[in-house]
Amino acid sequence: MAGVDGRVDEDLYSRQLYVLGHDAAAKMADSDVIISGLGGLGVEIAKNVILSGVKSVTLHDTKVATTYDLSTQYFLTSEAVGQNRALASQPRLAELNSYVHVYTNTEPLTEEYVTGFNVVVLTDSTLEEQLTLTSACHSKNIPVIVACTRGLFGQLFCDFGDNFEVLDPFGHELAVLEVAKITKEEEGVVSFPDMTFHGLYDGDQVIFTGVRGMTELNHCPPRVVKMLSPTLISIGDTSTMSDYEGGGTLRQIRVSEFKSFKPMKDSLLNPSFVTTDDFKTHLLPLVHMAFLALHEYTKATGSLPRPWHDGDARRFLELFADVRRTCPVALEEVDEDLLRKFACTAAGELVPVNAVIGSIAGQEVLKACSGKFTPVSQWLYYDALESLPVDTSPLTAANCAPEGGRYDAQIAVFGRDFQRKLENLKYFIVGAGAIGCELLKNFAMLGIGAGERGRLTVTDMDHIEKSNLSRQFLFRSWDVKKSKSSVAAAAVRRMNPEVNIVSHELRVGSDTEHFYNSDFYSQLDGVANALDNVEARRYMDGRCWHYRKPLLESGTLGANGSVQVVVPNITERYIVHGGSHKNAIAMCTLKNFPGNINHTLQWARDMFEGEFRQPCELIKQYLEDPSKVQQILKAPTPLDIEEVKSLKEAIDRIPRSFKDCVKWARLHWEEQFHFQIAKLLSQFPADHKTESGAPFWSGTKRCPHPLKFDVAEEEHLTFVLAAANLMAESFGIPQLRDPEAIANMVKEVEVPDYDTWKEPLSESMGALKLSDLKIAIPPPKDLEGLVLNPLSFEKDDDTNLHMDFVTSASNLRAENYDIEKADKYTSKRIAGRIIPAIVTSTALVAGLVTVELFKVIQGHETLRLYKSSEFSLAIPRFCSMEPEAAPVKVYNDIEWRPWDMFEVEGEVTLEDFFDLFEKKHELSISMVAEGNQVIYSSFLKPKEKQRRMKMTILAILQELLGEEAAPKPGSFVMLDLNAKDREGKRVEVPFVRYSICASSGCKD
């Protein structure tokens, strides 16, 4: 993780650092990890740990690769069969991260050897080996993790020693809150502006800064919180302190915890469990004992039970009974059907089950290295039993016996017929980012799209950036700037050469519906989203609803993630929780009354747009169509006049040399951080009172103070350097990055004092007459040869000065208002609206999504067999729940769900359309709409109603949308109806899927 100078590479790890923090990253970069067993589970853990940036990973294995391994070990090829798995995997794993040393070891493990590592991971070892090695590690407080998957079941065990310090148990962002009031009493009560929810709990600890009046709170030892309500807390005795006058910032601080772990030999007999499904908690002791019985089976027979072999399953049940008699773990019940399925699938291995256990195990390694987040205590079990068919009778020993091919490990679980189904699927993966890479790996390893009729299609319009490489594991450093989808497709072909995969670089949306049309969607078996925005998710939900295709939806935020499965006629459609505008900042707050660094950073972002993008775009628009200005000025509206004034201002400030850029930057500094603040204070002095006599500058209003420019101050010069160079870039002027040279130029700039300063042009031009405006804009010929380069804010390029400008502008504004500043790293996250991300959470959601895919392909019609999931790898907490059922609605005693539609084939007149619904469905229609286009409404004028009733629906849409935008023959539209039932009551009814075709008939 760290470069040669010992610093963390923020360009590579930026998204991960926003989850784990620099301290945790530094500890990880100093940790040596050994991973024993390089099968499918071992390679999954190794991939996650190496991408995360530990110091070194040693890959240990004594086994050679077999064809069976090719089912799940995605860094092995058919050429590697017969080679040691660790040696064969090392080159591909080492490519993932140049900062991590990847070693190999092929000798049997010894106690002395494993205790030389900071963290030990065992994935393919006998129970005897586990007990010996974990005992050695426990005696020296070396964290050890044991992970195992068998068919549809997964197991994880953690032992981090007797006294493991968890530095950050919860991992959530610490509260930073503006204070509205603090009472002076034995239990001082703190309130927050606008009834803000504080998110604090009893026992949390907080400190204060910037409090006026009650200054004793500033920088005093942490105060312990008592939660009084979601908007009020108490902080102990404040009765002897000064009176509170206003202001202040509350900051939550982290409080570490110590955890004690039992050694494996004790924990086996007295286990504590972490559940991955609350509805299966009662089964955890049973599964725990089943894994113990499996160890006994392999010890007695030398192999795992054969797939779906009745005799081997009976033998396993006998051994389970023996284990139960000697094991003190209490069982509420013995589910023999579960035990039989455990035995029948134990010889199999599935890449999504490995992804689930491997991602959790990977996160536990990072916790062991860093102390960040709460470890699993101590046994975690997972199963995907619902993935089996409801009727398992076709799953026989013959149908599930190995074929000698790369899919044998999953044939052992699901049989040959299901495997052929997978191979002939046609699936659309939307997005090739972090989740998309993991989904593509899972789908390819399963053989999806490998059959004659199968195909995987992936689209992503983005290109690879360096910051992607820490979690999007299909990409390498030499792929930066290349297309994500094409590189990902090539990587998938290397993993499984049999897969038919097609890559596109198209955005999904209305502008690509000519490409992703009816023909495209009609041949799909389903869609898996790997998107990073709600709008695109909603759009794809609409497409899947239109074409009645299942949708697999997922997302992550830091260590948290969620999965939603959408199945036609069974589940609800894609659900979005929460509002999108809840964090919007009021303009008056940004302009005059910032209260925290978020406000100043948004102000700085707005300044970037207003200075380096919008002026160039205005001038560009003018040069492309000069006549528009003259047309506007013939009969201008107030808005038109403001637009022309902005154009005039943009033209007047065009620089002709780099010195002009420096002069503008220096004067801009003075205007923003001195003059504007002085002006505000002239209107509202520090002692200003409101009409009620209360201090104006109180509560959340911080009284500002002007800054005095000092070229020797780094922040001051950084602003001028960045602003001057960005101005130069936007007008094609050669840049100069030399601070000393710019400092010398700054000294030559004449800066007016406040008394002689004039208002900016955008305000002073208010006095211009219309006749003045007509001659104020120079003709285009006067601007010939002008280079215009509107800048688009790009946070991830540290050479472009964008973040230098935004950070310095924000911090100078913060200094005006006595707000704590933020470094460039923190500013990038806030101003760049970066979504924190880590590879473990993306791998986990992809694993859970792929398990749901099994159920979709099985054709399950029972809602409870599907699982929507939410998790936090930090706490850790896992929640699996039944998806929301598709709601049932009624019209005319007919039940329907959102997936139901009226089917109408055109072309028909609106009159015929109404007659159809009146006669066949006893519905009286009062409105027909397609999107936001009203085809018919009872509010139309009578003549217009009559005219439209004689027109076809397509003709009306062509009139409303124009020929080009109207639907084409062979396509369809979704029509929304307002209708009344046979009793005259307004009712909700299904949409109409109206097909546009050449025939004139109408059928339903």
Side-chain angles (χ1 to χ4, degrees):
M1 179 175 285
V4 292
D5 58 359
R7 291 186 300 177
V8 173
D9 187 340
E10 292 183 356
D11 291 340
L12 176 63
Y13 294 108
S14 59
R15 279 40 171 191
Q16 176 177 299
L17 285 169
Y18 294 130
V19 182
L20 301 177
H22 280 78
D23 291 344
K27 288 183 173 67
M28 288 160 50
D30 197 36
S31 297
D32 298 308
V33 179
I34 182 171
I35 299 172
S36 177
L38 264 293
L41 177 58
V43 77
E44 180 69 21
I45 299 171
K47 176 258 293 180
N48 294 332
V49 173
I50 291 169
L51 285 172
S52 299
V54 296
K55 179 182 178 182
S56 76
V57 171
T58 297
L59 310 173
H60 169 263
D61 209 323
T62 60
K63 296 182 179 179
V64 298
T66 66
T67 304
Y68 208 76
D69 288 315
L70 299 182
S71 291
T72 59
Q73 221 286 24
Y74 42 83
F75 282 156
L76 292 178
T77 63
S78 56
E79 290 77 17
V81 172
Q83 299 176 26
N84 178 276
R85 295 189 300 185
L87 296 176
S89 304
Q90 190 274 346
R92 299 287 301 280
L93 284 165
E95 289 177 356
L96 292 174
N97 194 336
S98 61
Y99 290 121
V100 179
H101 302 289
V102 181
Y103 306 112
T104 58
N105 184 303
T106 60
E107 299 298 323
L109 293 179
T110 65
E111 297 174 50
E112 182 181 5
Y113 182 71
V114 298
T115 53
F117 292 89
N118 298 105
V119 184
V120 177
V121 182
L122 307 175
T123 71
D124 193 2
S125 48
T126 66
L127 182 59
E128 288 73 19
E129 290 169 335
Q130 292 173 11
L131 288 168
T132 299
L133 296 175
T134 59
S135 177
C137 291
H138 186 89
S139 68
K140 296 188 177 182
N141 282 319
I142 295 171
V144 61
I145 297 156
V146 179
C148 178
T149 61
R150 297 297 183 197
L152 294 163
F153 292 80
Q155 178 193 59
L156 185 73
F157 169 76
C158 292
D159 175 6
F160 287 10
D162 289 325
N163 198 34
F164 181 79
E165 185 177 10
V166 183
L167 300 172
D168 180 7
F170 304 108
H172 56 66
E173 191 169 345
L174 296 176
V176 179
L177 301 164
E178 297 172 66
V179 174
K181 186 178 180 182
I182 305 173
T183 63
K184 184 177 177 181
E185 53 186 319
E186 288 187 5
E187 277 293 333
V189 176
V190 182
S191 57
F192 306 96
D194 305 318
M195 301 290 285
T196 300
F197 282 15
H198 51 69
L200 298 168
Y201 296 92
D202 289 352
D204 286 343
Q205 296 186 24
V206 297
I207 59 173
F208 292 85
T209 57
V211 175
R212 300 194 302 277
M214 197 179 283
T215 55
E216 296 91 338
L217 280 176
N218 293 331
H219 305 295
C220 74
R223 313 281 291 195
V224 178
V225 166
K226 182 177 180 182
M227 178 182 169
L228 303 179
S229 76
T231 59
L232 296 173
I233 62 170
S234 66
I235 56 169
D237 192 357
T238 58
S239 60
T240 61
M241 296 182 181
S242 307
D243 292 337
Y244 175 76
E245 294 178 4
T249 300
L250 173 151
R251 294 179 181 277
Q252 183 184 6
I253 63 170
R254 300 196 190 280
V255 181
S256 65
E257 296 177 356
F258 287 88
K259 299 282 185 184
S260 179
F261 293 79
K262 290 179 286 191
M264 177 180 263
K265 63 182 176 63
D266 297 334
S267 188
L268 272 173
L269 305 178
N270 186 21
S272 58
F273 297 117
V274 172
T275 182
T276 56
D277 187 338
D278 288 334
F279 293 100
K280 296 182 178 181
T281 302
H282 64 290
L283 296 174
L284 294 177
L286 180 67
V287 178
H288 179 73
M289 204 172 291
F291 271 92
L292 287 175
L294 191 63
H295 281 295
E296 292 300 318
Y297 185 99
T298 55
K299 184 178 177 181
T301 66
S303 66
L304 293 165
R306 284 168 288 182
W308 297 95
H309 191 282
D310 289 338
D312 287 3
R314 285 194 296 272
R315 174 67 174 141
F316 172 80
L317 289 172
E318 291 168 1
L319 286 170
F320 177 87
D322 293 342
V323 170
R324 186 186 180 192
R325 281 190 289 270
T326 59
C327 181
V329 177
L331 295 182
E332 291 183 19
E333 57 179 297
V334 175
D335 185 338
E336 287 202 3
D337 182 61
L338 181 148
L339 293 174
R340 180 178 178 277
K341 289 173 180 174
F342 179 92
C344 287
T345 63
E349 189 173 359
L350 299 172
V351 70
V353 177
N354 284 343
V356 171
I357 297 300
S359 57
I360 301 172
Q363 190 66 53
E364 295 307 299
V365 172
L366 305 187
K367 294 175 185 178
C369 294
S370 66
K372 180 82 173 184
F373 305 150
T374 301
V376 166
S377 181
Q378 286 186 259
W379 294 92
L380 177 144
Y381 288 100
Y382 170 81
D383 77 76
L385 277 174
E386 297 85 358
S387 300
L388 290 172
V390 175
D391 178 12
T392 59
S393 60
L395 296 178
T396 62
N399 192 11
C400 300
E403 298 178 320
R406 67 179 303 125
Y407 307 116
D408 281 352
Q410 56 209 40
I411 287 173
V413 178
F414 295 120
R416 296 173 185 172
D417 296 339
F418 188 76
Q419 181 58 39
R420 301 293 92 84
K421 275 187 182 181
L422 292 175
E423 293 168 18
N424 286 296
L425 289 177
K426 292 184 176 71
Y427 247 80
F428 186 28
I429 297 179
V430 188
I435 295 175
C437 284
E438 297 288 343
L439 286 176
L440 284 166
K441 173 257 294 180
N442 292 348
F443 282 33
M445 296 306 290
L446 292 173
I448 293 174
E452 290 183 6
R453 299 184 302 278
R455 185 174 68 249
L456 270 179
T457 302
V458 59
T459 189
D460 196 312
M461 65 178 296
D462 287 343
H463 289 73
I464 299 162
E465 299 174 354
K466 185 178 179 181
S467 63
N468 300 147
L469 302 180
S470 65
R471 64 200 185 284
Q472 300 177 19
F473 86 107
L474 298 182
F475 310 141
R476 303 292 178 266
S477 57
W478 51 84
D479 296 322
V480 170
K481 304 301 181 185
K482 295 179 184 177
S483 159
K484 282 188 175 182
S485 57
S486 60
V487 172
V492 159
R493 291 189 193 100
R494 287 194 296 272
M495 289 179 175
N496 185 354
E498 298 176 6
V499 170
N500 303 312
I501 183 166
V502 177
S503 63
H504 300 152
E505 296 179 41
L506 299 174
R507 184 197 305 273
V508 289
S510 57
D511 55 336
T512 55
E513 286 181 5
H514 65 286
F515 189 87
Y516 299 124
N517 53 23
S518 298
D519 291 340
F520 175 80
Y521 280 102
S522 61
Q523 48 83 39
L524 290 179
D525 292 293
V527 174
N529 273 351
L531 294 161
D532 60 2
N533 67 88
V534 170
E535 291 73 23
R537 287 178 168 123
R538 282 183 170 135
Y539 174 82
M540 287 309 301
D541 173 67
R543 293 289 89 188
C544 291
W545 170 65
H546 284 182
Y547 294 99
R548 296 188 180 120
K549 301 296 178 182
L551 172 65
L552 302 169
E553 172 58 56
S554 60
T556 67
L557 180 63
N560 304 320
S562 63
V563 171
Q564 183 184 348
V565 55
V566 178
V567 185
N569 303 316
I570 297 174
T571 72
E572 177 62 284
R573 292 174 57 187
Y574 168 62
I575 299 170
V576 182
H577 298 285
S580 59
H581 303 293
K582 62 181 180 180
N583 294 321
I585 304 170
M587 186 56 65
C588 62
T589 299
L590 288 181
K591 189 172 182 181
N592 295 320
F593 309 121
N596 58 52
I597 201 68
N598 292 47
H599 298 160
T600 64
L601 280 165
Q602 184 61 54
W603 177 85
R605 268 296 309 272
D606 292 348
M607 186 195 293
F608 181 97
E609 299 293 322
E611 303 300 342
F612 308 122
R613 184 177 65 83
Q614 293 167 0
C616 282
E617 288 182 343
L618 276 174
I619 299 172
K620 258 190 170 183
Q621 291 167 8
Y622 167 62
L623 294 179
E624 289 169 359
D625 186 9
S627 61
K628 182 180 177 183
V629 171
Q630 299 306 320
Q631 290 294 327
I632 285 174
L633 292 177
K634 287 180 180 178
T637 66
L639 193 61
D640 291 334
I641 293 174
E642 287 304 313
E643 186 176 340
V644 175
K645 288 178 180 178
S646 297
L647 175 61
K648 167 64 175 167
E649 181 181 354
I651 292 173
D652 284 352
R653 75 168 205 176
I654 294 172
R656 303 298 176 182
S657 67
F658 190 78
K659 279 193 173 183
D660 287 349
C661 297
V662 172
K663 178 181 178 181
W664 170 83
R666 172 63 185 90
L667 294 176
H668 198 60
W669 190 102
E670 200 71 23
E671 179 183 334
Q672 297 301 323
F673 308 114
H674 186 98
F675 292 162
Q676 292 286 7
I677 300 299
K679 177 186 172 185
L680 182 63
L681 288 172
S682 70
Q683 295 171 324
F684 305 103
D687 58 356
H688 186 72
K689 298 287 195 297
T690 65
E691 290 183 1
S692 65
F696 177 82
W697 296 106
S698 63
T700 60
K701 288 193 180 77
R702 295 171 177 263
C703 184
H705 61 275
L707 304 184
K708 184 176 181 180
F709 185 83
D710 184 351
V711 74
E713 284 283 340
E714 183 179 0
E715 197 97 66
H716 297 197
L717 186 59
T718 297
F719 176 89
V720 174
L721 185 151
N725 277 281
L726 293 173
M727 177 64 76
E729 183 183 359
S730 62
F731 287 99
I733 296 171
Q735 295 184 332
L736 177 63
R737 302 288 184 95
D738 182 358
E740 186 177 349
I742 289 177
N744 290 331
M745 292 183 194
V746 166
K747 294 172 184 176
E748 297 175 6
V749 177
E750 292 185 16
V751 181
D753 58 28
Y754 177 66
D755 293 332
T756 58
W757 171 67
K758 295 181 179 180
E759 293 294 325
L761 184 61
S762 59
E763 294 179 23
S764 64
M765 282 188 68
L768 284 178
K769 298 177 182 178
L770 184 59
S771 59
D772 296 326
L773 271 178
K774 289 181 178 179
I775 61 172
I777 307 300
K781 64 182 180 61
D782 290 358
L783 301 176
E784 284 182 3
L786 182 66
V787 176
L788 295 169
N789 179 31
L791 302 185
S792 296
F793 180 71
E794 173 49 60
K795 63 188 178 298
D796 288 321
D797 182 355
D798 279 346
T799 66
N800 63 13
L801 296 177
H802 294 195
M803 278 310 306
D804 298 83
F805 174 82
V806 168
T807 303
S808 60
S810 170
N811 283 338
L812 290 166
R813 178 80 162 172
E815 189 177 343
N816 279 139
Y817 285 86
D818 295 316
I819 294 168
E820 187 172 339
K821 298 179 180 181
D823 58 21
K824 186 176 175 181
Y825 162 76
T826 303
S827 298
K828 180 191 284 192
R829 176 180 65 82
I830 299 171
R833 302 179 181 92
I834 291 174
I835 299 173
I838 48 177
V839 65
T840 47
S841 58
T842 54
L844 179 51
V845 295
L848 294 170
V849 162
T850 310
V851 168
E852 294 308 305
L853 171 68
F854 288 150
K855 304 171 187 179
V856 171
I857 305 310
Q858 294 286 11
H860 288 335
E861 297 180 353
T862 305
L863 186 69
R864 63 176 175 79
L865 296 178
Y866 294 97
K867 298 288 183 183
S868 288
S869 304
E870 294 179 356
F871 65 81
S872 169
L873 285 171
I875 303 177
R877 178 187 62 83
F878 306 90
C879 180
S880 297
M881 65 211 88
E882 196 174 280
E884 293 287 333
V888 178
K889 303 177 183 182
V890 180
Y891 76 91
N892 289 339
D893 300 324
I894 297 173
E895 290 187 349
W896 64 279
R897 292 172 175 81
W899 294 96
D900 295 322
M901 303 172 193
F902 296 117
E903 299 274 358
V904 177
E905 291 189 10
E907 231 337 69
V908 298
T909 65
L910 196 57
E911 187 173 47
D912 290 338
F913 184 85
F914 277 37
D915 286 345
L916 169 70
F917 280 87
E918 183 70 48
K919 293 173 181 175
K920 187 166 185 178
H921 302 291
E922 298 181 272
L923 291 171
S924 175
I925 298 172
S926 58
M927 191 191 78
V928 182
E930 194 274 321
N932 58 5
Q933 299 296 324
V934 177
I935 294 171
Y936 176 87
S937 170
S938 57
F939 297 109
L940 292 173
K941 294 181 179 179
K943 284 188 177 180
E944 181 61 16
K945 286 184 189 177
Q946 292 175 9
R947 187 180 76 87
R948 293 196 183 187
M949 290 296 280
K950 301 299 181 183
M951 297 172 66
T952 65
I953 290 175
L954 177 58
I956 297 172
L957 286 172
Q958 288 172 336
E959 192 175 272
L960 293 172
L961 298 168
E963 290 282 345
E964 284 298 314
K968 303 297 185 287
S971 65
F972 69 88
V973 293
M974 302 299 292
L975 303 179
D976 191 4
L977 307 181
N978 279 1
K980 293 182 179 179
D981 63 12
R982 58 188 172 217
E983 296 178 358
K985 295 179 181 177
R986 193 173 298 280
V987 289
E988 193 174 351
V989 297
F991 276 73
V992 179
R993 192 177 193 270
Y994 183 81
S995 301
I996 309 293
C997 57
S999 61
S1000 58
C1002 174
K1003 59 184 181 181
D1004 174 52

